[in-house]
Amino acid sequence: MTTTTTRYSGPLAPGAYITRETDPWLQDAATGERVDLRPFDPTTPRALAADDCECAAAAILPGVFAPCNDEFGIEAHDECGRYAGDLEAAEALAAHLSAITGKTYEVWFELTRT
């Protein structure tokens, strides 16, 4: 088994997965710095529609837990199933934050291959 830090660029090959106990994160494409997600965390809960998952009330983006486990981590909310997994949730968050800030973000993660 090998583990490397990798920029996400599409579906993972067979036998490749996010390393256990780690979360994907965003990096600023221009500077390469990890993005601290705490400033994007809503300060007041949103009103929920009747069919919204509870995660939408306090999330930066519904269906995404971020920051999660530290100031950088991103996880999909598996219960509501908006995203197929953590990497897809991180991609959606990158696009969402790009629309807000005008910056380009890349998704990075720890990749393990068997």
Side-chain angles (χ1 to χ4, degrees), residues 63-82:
V64 179
F65 288 132
C68 186
N69 299 319
D70 63 20
E71 64 271 32
F72 309 110
I74 302 165
E75 290 184 5
H77 183 216
D78 297 330
E79 193 173 304
C80 72
R82 284 182 189 239

Side-chain angles (χ1 to χ4, degrees), residues 8 21 33 38 60 72 102-103 107:
Y8 183 64
E21 305 301 322
E33 292 182 24
R38 293 175 296 183
I60 298 171
F72 309 110
K103 296 180 179 183
V107 176

Side-chain angles (χ1 to χ4, degrees), residues 48-60:
L48 294 175
D51 60 344
D52 277 343
C53 176
E54 291 178 19
C55 73
I60 298 171

Side-chain angles (χ1 to χ4, degrees), residues 34-56:
R34 284 189 184 205
V35 178
D36 182 343
L37 299 169
R38 293 175 296 183
F40 299 102
D41 210 7
T43 55
T44 57
R46 291 182 189 89
L48 294 175
D51 60 344
D52 277 343
C53 176
E54 291 178 19
C55 73

